[in-house]
Amino acid sequence: MVVSVVSTPESHAVTLNGYGASRRNSTPSNANNNMEDTSSALLKRINQTSRDPSLHARPLPEHHSVGSSRKSHPPSDEDSSDDLALDAMPRPYKFPAATLPTGLCYDVRMRYHCELDPPKQRLDFHPEDPRRIYSIYKELCTAGLVDDPMSTRPIVSRPLKRISARNATRAEVCMVHDPKHFSFIEGTKDMSEETLVHLERQYDSIYFNRLTYASALLSAGGAIDTCRAVASRQVKNAMAVIRPPGHHAECNRPMGFCIFDNVSISAKVCQTDFPDTCRKILILDWDVHHGNGIQQAFYQDPNVLYISIHVHEDGNFYPSGPCGDHLHCGAGPGLGKNINIPWPTKGMGDADYLFAFQNVVLPVAYDFNPDFVIIAAGFDAAAGDQLGGCFVSPACYAHMTSMLMPLANGKVVACLEGGYNLKSISKSALAVTRTLMGEPPDRLQETSPTPSGIATVQQVAAYQSRFWPCLYPKDMDQEIMRSLGAERMHDIIRCYQSAQMFENHKMTNLWIFRNGICKSFEKQVLATENYDQPIPLIVLFHDPPELTGTPDPVTKKIELENTWLADGLKHYVDWAARQGFGVIDVNIPKDLTDVDTEPPDDRTISMSEPEELAVYLWENYIDNHDASKIFFIGVGTAHSGIMHLINNREGIYQRVSGVVNLVAEEPLVPVSDQNLYFLSKWYKTNSCNFVSQSHRVWVLPPGQKKPSKRFGTLVASPAKSLNDMLVKHQSEVQAFILGKLGGSSMAEHRG
């Protein structure tokens, strides 16, 4: 029978203290001898303890024993000596971080910042609603995580430790902001309501009242003291439920709902107050909008690594402009310490974010090896958030938090930024808080990233590899093209398609006379001769056709004789042309050829180009002609150009009779009601969107019975690839168009 030995806490402590004392009293000359004497004494003490029957552990019942089904056998002398040697190893009795609680900062006074004069035409609340932080706090109480009278009982055994919010000082705020900026915000407390209402119209997405200054000081001060509590090990990690948010606030101006840059101020204070233990700080910003304020604050700081994952849309998504693209990598000593992962469109989901974490965020974070981690935790990429338009689940936020927690000895603080759907932010913040407290994240429903997500992450990794050896190096295909005179297959294929369409339907190239896109889309826009006539017009925006092939069984190479061009869309063009409809076919390439870019290895097409092309075609080739009915068909990622046109072109719904989109894995772009509150209703009535049944749009948040009407009329497709979907639903697309035409023949329509 194997006898277990259990040492009491007192004997264990004595042993450790004795070992520690011999270490402290030893000198370099006799350190080795003292170590040998100590080890012998430890072994002797353990042998004496093992003979004391009062300290023997009681044997477990057989059904509780690990491996009880196996027959026990006496340990060998070698096993026994190994066990004793392991037991003799000095180790601490307690877990210094695991036994600490998780902190929580929340103060109801931060709700006092609110709109004075909401626009009368707006039917709902301002997105940056004071109820945001209360909804999160109430969710934490309902889950029993907070020792509060409103909490559901019983509460957890170790509830969140409350961290008081205090006013940030002028000196702390001015570590990031210009003193004039502080004085301006301070002055709002004495302004009249009329002045404040007039003032907010002069700024970018900001409102003020007389308590804005007080709430902003509490928000910044709460973030500071939350970070200080974690840095000083009063709590192991923490969640700061604060507002107004901060990551858009720049040095000398508030913007984007943000007054003071809470995260940047906290990082600066921690670097000052804890110079030895908080020198290097990682700031991970997963808000759906780029944190231009944080980037500006640390752009030349080699000790702060800022990583932002956000929707960019080539600078068309707030805060707009190029500063959020992947080319902005820091400057001077901070070169390489700024990493932007800019999604090309809305609609990104769990697998895309995890792919970014696994391939960029974590390799770089471990290479950087921070002393402290701050999460700019905006939850507007969460499923259900109308501004963000993405599909990140609470479980994904929990997984991202869990992956960051091993860094910096677990010193992690999550500071609330954006997030405007009260239910989504509450569930997401709860998931993050539970993970910080030690609860494993829930399982994910989605594990396959989208093609556009993969392309974006790989592009970022390739460009950042010049600063981070841990990232996979950039490809060398440009050099191959130069040395071999090679040509891209998509250019060759499009030339072939152009020739075939001219031969079959007399389709010719529509010229694009606009700098920046004219060269990009040469021979990519083809039209029938009758596109400008008073007849129905079909406009197709689509990704390039696919190449499929069988690799050689020996060389594993794809040979030309075993390769086919799969173009299911040509049947749609053939059908429309036979019907006598006008047709405009727009091919959106994934990469550009012979387009000068800087740096030369970045040629991936930007989101603005198909969107700009859609606007150009509408203005010059569609809207000013007499088409009786206009139908859009979007296939794959290219459908975003159509959706951009619908969302941003005033009055387009009055001329468009129907929209059809076919989407497999690509992000599905919704309509936005920001400009027209009835646009989603119109789109629901006049669209037919075939979406693969494995798409994330079918994964609904808890309590939601069906996808939002902003995605239009959805049809679940059993097909998984775009080509299969084009074949599967061809007759349904044709029936939808003919149904909108009233089922009339072409001759009747002309008459």
Side-chain angles (χ1 to χ4, degrees):
M1 177 178 178
V2 179
V3 180
S4 301
V5 178
V6 178
S7 59
T8 64
E10 292 79 6
S11 64
H12 198 161
V14 169
T15 302
L16 288 175
N17 290 337
Y19 172 69
S22 64
R23 288 279 293 178
R24 287 192 296 270
N25 296 332
S26 63
T27 61
S29 60
N30 61 5
N32 293 333
N33 293 334
N34 285 341
M35 285 291 292
E36 293 175 1
D37 294 341
T38 303
S39 299
S40 300
L42 284 170
L43 289 172
K44 182 177 180 181
R45 187 178 184 87
I46 291 171
N47 289 330
Q48 290 174 347
T49 305
S50 65
R51 298 189 188 101
D52 187 350
S54 65
L55 297 179
H56 291 176
R58 295 180 180 179
L60 291 172
E62 184 175 348
H63 64 281
H64 285 166
S65 301
V66 178
S68 58
S69 60
R70 301 179 182 177
K71 294 182 180 180
S72 60
H73 60 277
S76 65
D77 293 339
E78 183 178 353
D79 292 338
S80 300
S81 62
D82 289 344
D83 291 342
L84 288 174
L86 289 173
D87 288 340
M89 294 286 289
R91 56 185 180 271
Y93 175 66
K94 294 182 178 180
F95 299 99
T99 54
L100 292 173
T102 294
L104 171 67
C105 180
Y106 169 80
D107 194 307
V108 69
R109 293 174 294 171
M110 298 181 202
R111 298 178 63 188
Y112 298 165
H113 167 64
C114 59
E115 274 189 299
L116 284 174
D117 185 28
K120 302 298 185 295
Q121 67 271 23
R122 199 178 67 221
L123 302 180
D124 56 357
F125 293 92
H126 190 281
E128 212 290 278
D129 190 333
R131 296 176 297 170
R132 295 170 60 241
I133 57 173
Y134 175 73
S135 297
I136 294 175
Y137 183 72
K138 182 180 178 181
E139 188 74 23
L140 299 179
C141 290
T142 302
L145 306 185
V146 186
D147 189 2
D148 188 280
M150 67 182 293
S151 294
T152 301
R153 305 291 166 167
I155 63 174
V156 295
S157 58
R158 186 183 289 119
L160 295 165
K161 182 177 179 179
R162 297 295 296 273
I163 299 172
S164 299
R166 49 96 176 169
N167 290 339
T169 66
R170 181 186 182 94
E172 289 171 335
V173 173
C174 290
M175 287 181 170
V176 172
H177 295 284
D178 190 284
K180 293 181 180 179
H181 174 76
F182 183 90
S183 298
F184 164 70
I185 300 299
E186 183 181 26
T188 59
K189 64 184 175 63
D190 299 319
M191 295 180 184
S192 66
E193 292 189 357
E194 293 77 10
T195 302
L196 291 170
V197 171
H198 176 72
L199 190 63
E200 69 183 52
R201 293 168 184 161
Q202 301 178 21
Y203 282 86
D204 182 6
S205 304
I206 283 288
Y207 59 77
F208 300 99
N209 68 12
R210 291 177 181 172
L211 295 174
T212 294
Y213 171 66
S215 297
L217 284 184
L218 281 172
S219 184
I224 292 170
D225 276 10
T226 302
C227 290
R228 294 186 81 258
V230 174
S232 60
R233 275 302 190 217
Q234 298 175 46
V235 292
K236 64 179 177 182
N237 48 42
M239 179 76 182
V241 184
I242 55 176
R243 70 172 291 271
H247 73 150
H248 290 311
E250 295 186 342
C251 172
N252 55 3
R253 64 168 177 162
M255 60 180 290
F257 313 155
C258 301
I259 308 297
F260 296 140
D261 188 351
N262 307 316
V263 167
S264 297
I265 295 169
S266 302
K268 292 277 190 180
V269 170
C270 285
Q271 285 181 319
T272 302
D273 292 354
F274 306 95
D276 297 327
T277 56
C278 278
R279 182 175 63 88
K280 296 196 300 180
I281 298 178
L282 164 64
I283 300 176
L284 189 283
D285 189 345
W286 65 44
D287 190 288
V288 79
H289 302 94
H290 177 243
N292 54 294
I294 302 177
Q295 175 170 297
Q296 182 190 73
F298 299 108
Y299 203 63
Q300 299 190 53
D301 192 332
N303 292 318
V304 176
L305 170 62
Y306 176 61
I307 305 177
S308 177
I309 310 175
H310 55 271
V311 173
H312 187 54
E313 293 185 345
D314 197 51
N316 292 313
F317 196 72
Y318 195 88
S320 303
C323 66
D325 65 24
H326 72 285
L327 302 178
H328 282 73
C329 303
L335 187 62
K337 299 303 191 299
N338 192 91
I339 301 178
N340 290 321
I341 303 176
W343 299 133
T345 181
K346 296 180 181 180
M348 312 308 285
D350 292 355
D352 298 305
Y353 276 76
L354 292 184
F355 188 76
F357 256 68
Q358 293 162 351
N359 290 275
V360 174
V361 175
L362 292 181
V364 171
Y366 275 93
D367 203 350
F368 181 66
N369 193 21
D371 302 315
F372 199 78
V373 177
I374 305 177
I375 304 172
F379 296 112
D380 40 6
D385 191 289
Q386 184 169 344
L387 290 185
C390 290
F391 298 95
V392 180
S393 68
C396 181
Y397 283 118
H399 276 270
M400 291 191 290
T401 304
S402 178
M403 287 188 279
L404 293 172
M405 288 171 63
L407 296 163
N409 293 325
K411 295 180 181 179
V412 178
V413 174
C415 293
L416 181 66
E417 290 289 349
Y420 310 105
N421 181 299
L422 299 183
K423 186 173 182 179
S424 297
I425 63 173
S426 300
K427 298 296 183 183
S428 300
L430 173 63
V432 169
T433 306
R434 284 165 53 90
T435 302
L436 290 172
M437 296 177 74
E439 188 71 10
D442 292 338
R443 294 183 65 178
L444 295 171
Q445 301 297 319
E446 174 196 348
T447 56
S448 299
T450 62
S452 59
I454 295 173
T456 299
V457 172
Q458 290 178 339
Q459 183 185 43
V460 172
Y463 192 73
Q464 288 284 344
S465 65
R466 64 195 69 188
F467 312 115
W468 300 95
C470 59
L471 297 179
Y472 192 80
K474 56 183 178 294
D475 59 25
M476 299 299 293
D477 57 343
Q478 279 280 329
E479 188 62 33
I480 294 175
M481 290 179 63
R482 293 191 187 99
S483 61
L484 301 180
E487 296 184 33
R488 288 186 174 274
M489 282 300 299
H490 75 68
D491 294 327
I492 297 173
I493 290 172
R494 190 56 179 176
C495 286
Y496 164 79
Q497 288 182 312
S498 177
Q500 289 292 309
M501 289 184 179
F502 176 79
E503 180 179 344
N504 296 332
H505 308 298
K506 297 297 184 286
M507 297 180 71
T508 56
N509 185 48
L510 291 184
W511 294 100
I512 310 298
F513 297 101
R514 180 172 293 180
N515 291 335
I517 61 173
C518 56
K519 182 65 176 178
S520 306
F521 291 99
E522 186 177 339
K523 294 186 179 179
Q524 306 296 341
V525 183
L526 306 174
T528 56
E529 295 176 311
N530 59 350
Y531 78 91
D532 57 348
Q533 300 299 311
I535 56 176
L537 175 64
I538 311 295
V539 183
L540 302 101
F541 270 68
H542 60 88
D543 294 347
E546 297 178 358
L547 287 175
T548 61
T550 304
D552 185 277
V554 178
T555 65
K556 305 301 181 184
K557 295 181 179 180
I558 296 181
E559 306 290 348
L560 290 179
E561 64 269 18
N562 292 326
T563 305
W564 291 266
L565 177 66
D567 185 12
L569 200 63
K570 68 179 181 180
H571 301 299
Y572 289 68
V573 175
D574 293 342
W575 172 80
R578 287 197 306 269
Q579 294 290 318
F581 300 158
V583 179
I584 297 179
D585 180 86
V586 185
N587 180 72
I588 305 295
K590 294 182 179 179
D591 294 284
L592 305 181
T593 303
D594 295 332
V595 177
D596 293 332
T597 57
E598 180 63 36
D601 57 311
D602 292 302
R603 310 161 320 282
T604 300
I605 194 167
S606 63
M607 201 61 222
S608 68
E609 287 167 316
E611 293 172 352
E612 187 179 355
L613 177 64
V615 172
Y616 183 90
L617 292 175
W618 178 261
E619 292 177 344
N620 294 276
Y621 290 109
I622 301 175
D623 192 33
N624 57 356
H625 291 141
D626 300 323
S628 58
K629 300 280 186 178
I630 298 173
F631 295 90
F632 283 117
I633 299 178
V635 182
T637 305
H639 87 282
S640 63
I642 297 173
M643 299 310 300
H644 173 80
L645 192 63
I646 293 173
N647 282 327
N648 295 279
R649 196 68 182 175
E650 184 177 355
I652 189 174
Y653 65 92
Q654 297 173 343
R655 293 211 60 195
V656 175
S657 300
V659 179
V660 177
N661 290 314
L662 296 99
V663 177
E665 299 176 339
E666 302 78 16
L668 183 63
V669 181
V671 296
S672 172
D673 287 331
Q674 290 179 315
N675 298 323
L676 294 172
Y677 70 90
F678 58 84
L679 188 59
S680 59
K681 183 178 180 180
W682 171 87
Y683 187 57
K684 178 78 172 178
T685 304
N686 295 283
S687 67
C688 184
N689 297 319
F690 299 92
V691 183
S692 174
Q693 60 188 10
S694 61
H695 195 279
R696 66 171 66 91
V697 76
W698 304 112
V699 181
L700 302 177
Q704 185 174 331
K705 296 182 179 179
K706 55 184 179 180
S708 170
K709 65 180 179 180
R710 295 188 300 115
F711 293 108
T713 298
L714 298 179
V715 179
S717 173
K720 294 183 178 180
S721 70
L722 285 176
N723 269 317
D724 291 341
M725 293 179 70
L726 287 168
V727 174
K728 177 75 175 177
H729 302 293
Q730 180 179 347
S731 60
E732 296 170 77
V733 173
Q734 295 170 0
F736 172 81
I737 294 174
L738 293 176
K740 290 292 182 179
L741 292 173
S744 60
S745 67
M746 195 63 232
E748 292 172 342
H749 187 83
R750 283 173 174 163

